[in-house]
């Protein structure tokens, strides 16, 4: 079968773009201009750009045109840590750590080794975790306004694993999940892997009237990337809509520990249809990989845990339980809230006068860019200065992607935060005056 006549045009332009013939952020010819240059129909030129956009080589913006993307930022949607150079300042990923955490781990492991349960920790464990470990987590989440029985808690290998087992237990390939126009990159990758369709909406009820929505994925307490907190009235409206249309609610609370006096979790308002997912990765240490899922219907999720990991490693779970029971986790969370407040204060000072978005206790900041600045171009310029940032394209679930950066503040040493953010501001302002 012969390839369509426009395919050679796509192939040639793709090769030129990958070879760097045009600088990142260059505005390409209009659809009409491309049609005239290549001797093709206007509808064919539109198809050419659509294929190049699907390849991740260009991005089209309504009313502005088609622009060259930075392919160095596209692999893995920019979520893989190895994409951050070892000598770069990392404003892309959050792995907040406090002084003395390594000593805390050292002492904790020493205490475990001296205890009497080490032998038992080397054996297989119940798929959902030992009941005493689950009870410790149940007591912990009660401080977030979520009172549950230990039997409704399942221990998983981090929040990402929690999201995965929840989706695998509750959804099927082709199911439609409602999400925010900007959402967590890890859930985007999970949906792609499982064949789920993500549909962005700001009006869940209206969307449910048009599409067969099965679930809604949401981050009501400290949204990633925006850092917003959903008010109680909006939470009640979401719950009412979910009940009216019989939706599963997947509540991601990975950063909820940073917000004091937050409204009650959705899982407290609608426990019969909400799966609550969180972890101790951000509040304690990312490398521990201990997360938890709270669900009234726990058995299907437990079966998926069995199929994926059998159980979360008992050594790390036992270590975490001790820290939950002796107050270590509470102290770490309090210190990190203070740390996040301090970093946000520095960021707000550096970006004074710019329309930043984010919670005052968040470890990330959303920075919209003013015309004519372009996020890909700014990110590329910062990369040349050994600063890694995330652009809106990594979080977007719509075809129109806002020009914005998400700046993770938790991984930079405190003495370097101001200087690094001042560099970001200077690059953004330079690009805005091109």
């Amino acid at each position: 079968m012969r390839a369509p006549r426009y395919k050679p045009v796509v192939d040639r332009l793709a090769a030129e773009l990958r070879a760097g013939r045009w600088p990142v952020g260059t505005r390409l010819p209009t659809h009409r201009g491309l049609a005239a240059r290549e001797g093709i129909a206007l509808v064919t030129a539109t198809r050419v750009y659509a294929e190049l956009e699907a390849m991740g080589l260009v991005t089209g913006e309504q009313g502005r045109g088609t622009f060259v993307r930075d392919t160095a930022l596209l692999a893995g949607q920019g979520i893989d840590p190895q994409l951050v150079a070892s000598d770069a300042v990392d404003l892309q990923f959050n792995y907040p750590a406090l002084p003395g955490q390594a000593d805390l781990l050292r002492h904790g492991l020493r205490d475990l080794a001296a205890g009497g349960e080490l032998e038992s920790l080397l054996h297989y464990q119940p798929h959902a975790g030992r009941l005493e470990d689950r009870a410790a987590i149940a007591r912990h989440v009660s401080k977030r306004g979520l009172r549950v029985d230990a039997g409704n808690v399942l221990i998983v290998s981090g929040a990402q694993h929690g999201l995965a087992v929840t989706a695998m237990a509750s959804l099927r390939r082709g199911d439609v999940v409602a999400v925010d126009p900007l959402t967590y990159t890890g859930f985007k990758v999970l949906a792609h892997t499982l064949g789920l369709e993500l549909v962005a909406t700001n009006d869940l009820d209206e969307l449910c009237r048009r599409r067969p929505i099965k679930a809604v994925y949401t981050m009501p307490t400290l949204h990633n990337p925006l850092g917003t907190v959903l008010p109680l009235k909006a939470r009640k409206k979401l719950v009412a809509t979910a009940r009216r249309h019989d939706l599963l609610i997947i509540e991601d609370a990975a950063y909820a520990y940073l917000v004091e006096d937050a409204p009650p979790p959705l899982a407290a308002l609608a426990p019969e249809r909400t799966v609550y997912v969180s972890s101790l990765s951000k509040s304690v240490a990312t490398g521990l990989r201990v997360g938890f899922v709270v669900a009234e219907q726990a058995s299907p999720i437990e079966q998926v845990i069995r199929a994926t990991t059998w159980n979360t490693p008992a050594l790390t779970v036992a270590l975490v339980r001790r820290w939950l029971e002796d107050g270590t986790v509470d102290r770490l969370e309090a210190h990190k809230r203070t740390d996040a407040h301090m970093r946000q204060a520095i960021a707000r000072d550096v970006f004074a006068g710019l329309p930043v978005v984010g919670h005052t206790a968040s470890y990330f900041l959303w920075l919209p860019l003013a015309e004519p600045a372009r996020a890909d171009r700014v990110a590329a310029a910062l990369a040349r200065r050994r600063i890694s940032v995330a652009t809106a394209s990594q979080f977007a679930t719509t075809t129109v992607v806002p020009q914005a950066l998400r700046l993770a503040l938790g991984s930079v040493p405190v003495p370097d935060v101001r200087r690094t953010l001042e560099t970001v501001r200077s690059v953004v302002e330079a690009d805005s005056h091109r």
Side-chain angles (χ1 to χ4, degrees), residues 160-185:
Q160 183 67 31
H161 183 229
L163 294 174
V165 296
T166 299
M168 293 170 70
S170 310
L171 302 170
R172 298 293 177 265
R173 181 171 293 276
D175 281 350
V176 184
V177 181
V179 294
D180 294 321
L182 295 162
T183 197
Y184 169 51
T185 55

Side-chain angles (χ1 to χ4, degrees), residues 259-320:
V259 181
E260 294 186 286
D261 301 321
L266 299 173
L269 300 175
E272 82 284 356
R273 64 183 58 254
T274 304
V275 178
Y276 182 92
V277 181
S278 191
S279 77
L280 298 171
S281 294
K282 298 298 189 292
S283 61
V284 180
T286 56
L288 286 177
R289 310 312 304 147
V290 176
F292 50 90
V293 173
V294 177
E296 281 202 350
Q297 304 300 320
S299 294
I301 297 175
E302 185 173 0
Q303 288 298 313
V304 180
I305 295 173
R306 180 185 187 278
T308 53
T309 59
W310 191 273
N311 64 266
T312 300
L315 278 169
T316 52
V317 175
L319 184 65
V320 163

Side-chain angles (χ1 to χ4, degrees), residues 89-91 94 96-97 339-351 362-365 387 407-425:
V89 178
D90 189 0
L91 294 179
N94 267 320
D339 182 56
H341 270 290
M342 177 182 61
R343 292 167 185 265
Q344 275 284 339
I346 295 172
R348 300 304 176 102
D349 185 50
V350 170
F351 294 118
S362 174
Y363 268 122
F364 40 83
L365 189 77
I387 298 174
L407 305 176
L409 307 175
S411 305
V412 184
V414 173
D416 299 334
V417 172
R418 180 175 294 276
R419 183 178 68 253
T420 302
L421 296 181
E422 286 173 347
T423 301
V424 172
R425 176 159 190 162

Side-chain angles (χ1 to χ4, degrees), residues 85-393:
S86 59
D87 62 342
V89 178
D90 189 0
L91 294 179
Q92 189 169 175
F93 300 96
N94 267 320
Y95 33 92
L98 299 173
Q101 283 195 215
D103 287 335
L104 183 66
L105 177 61
R106 190 174 295 110
H107 295 318
L109 291 173
R110 186 181 301 123
D111 291 343
L112 268 183
E117 65 174 346
L118 191 59
E119 179 70 27
S120 68
L121 297 178
L122 301 179
H123 300 157
Y124 284 128
Q125 306 295 318
H127 307 307
R130 298 183 302 175
L131 195 59
E132 58 266 35
D133 298 331
R134 298 159 72 185
I137 291 174
R139 289 190 292 271
H140 178 65
V141 298
S142 70
K143 299 166 188 174
R144 300 184 187 176
L146 184 58
R147 299 189 180 279
V148 296
D149 294 330
N152 296 122
V153 175
L154 304 98
I155 300 176
V156 292
S157 298
Q160 183 67 31
H161 183 229
L163 294 174
V165 296
T166 299
M168 293 170 70
S170 310
L171 302 170
R172 298 293 177 265
R173 181 171 293 276
D175 281 350
V176 184
V177 181
V179 294
D180 294 321
L182 295 162
T183 197
Y184 169 51
T185 55
F187 194 76
K188 288 177 61 178
V189 172
L190 174 63
H192 176 76
T193 302
L194 298 181
L196 306 175
E197 181 185 354
L198 300 186
V199 179
T201 183
N202 288 312
D203 188 334
L204 181 60
D205 188 65
E206 189 274 335
L207 176 63
C208 289
R209 297 180 191 281
R210 294 189 291 104
R211 299 293 308 275
I213 306 299
K214 292 288 187 180
V216 53
Y217 168 75
T218 182
M219 298 163 280
T221 303
L222 217 60
H223 182 281
N224 182 9
L226 295 178
T228 53
V229 177
L230 196 67
L232 178 58
K233 182 178 179 180
R235 294 180 191 226
K236 289 181 176 179
K237 180 181 178 181
L238 190 157
V239 164
T241 301
R243 285 177 171 150
R244 184 161 51 250
H245 297 283
D246 193 23
L247 305 182
L248 169 70
I249 301 173
I250 302 174
E251 181 175 10
D252 186 338
Y255 283 100
Y257 77 96
L258 287 170
V259 181
E260 294 186 286
D261 301 321
L266 299 173
L269 300 175
E272 82 284 356
R273 64 183 58 254
T274 304
V275 178
Y276 182 92
V277 181
S278 191
S279 77
L280 298 171
S281 294
K282 298 298 189 292
S283 61
V284 180
T286 56
L288 286 177
R289 310 312 304 147
V290 176
F292 50 90
V293 173
V294 177
E296 281 202 350
Q297 304 300 320
S299 294
I301 297 175
E302 185 173 0
Q303 288 298 313
V304 180
I305 295 173
R306 180 185 187 278
T308 53
T309 59
W310 191 273
N311 64 266
T312 300
L315 278 169
T316 52
V317 175
L319 184 65
V320 163
R321 190 189 84 223
R322 288 178 176 230
W323 288 343
L324 285 167
E325 292 176 338
D326 69 10
T328 296
V329 172
D330 289 340
R331 289 191 294 274
L332 285 173
E333 290 186 349
H335 290 161
K336 289 188 178 181
R337 282 192 290 270
T338 300
D339 182 56
H341 270 290
M342 177 182 61
R343 292 167 185 265
Q344 275 284 339
I346 295 172
R348 300 304 176 102
D349 185 50
V350 170
F351 294 118
L354 298 182
V356 296
V357 178
H359 194 275
T360 55
S362 174
Y363 268 122
F364 40 83
L365 189 77
W366 187 253
L367 180 61
L369 304 181
E371 292 283 358
R374 290 188 46 77
D376 284 353
R377 197 163 55 209
V378 170
L382 287 169
R384 290 192 290 272
R385 291 165 173 78
R386 318 311 292 165
I387 298 174
S388 174
V389 298
T391 66
S393 62

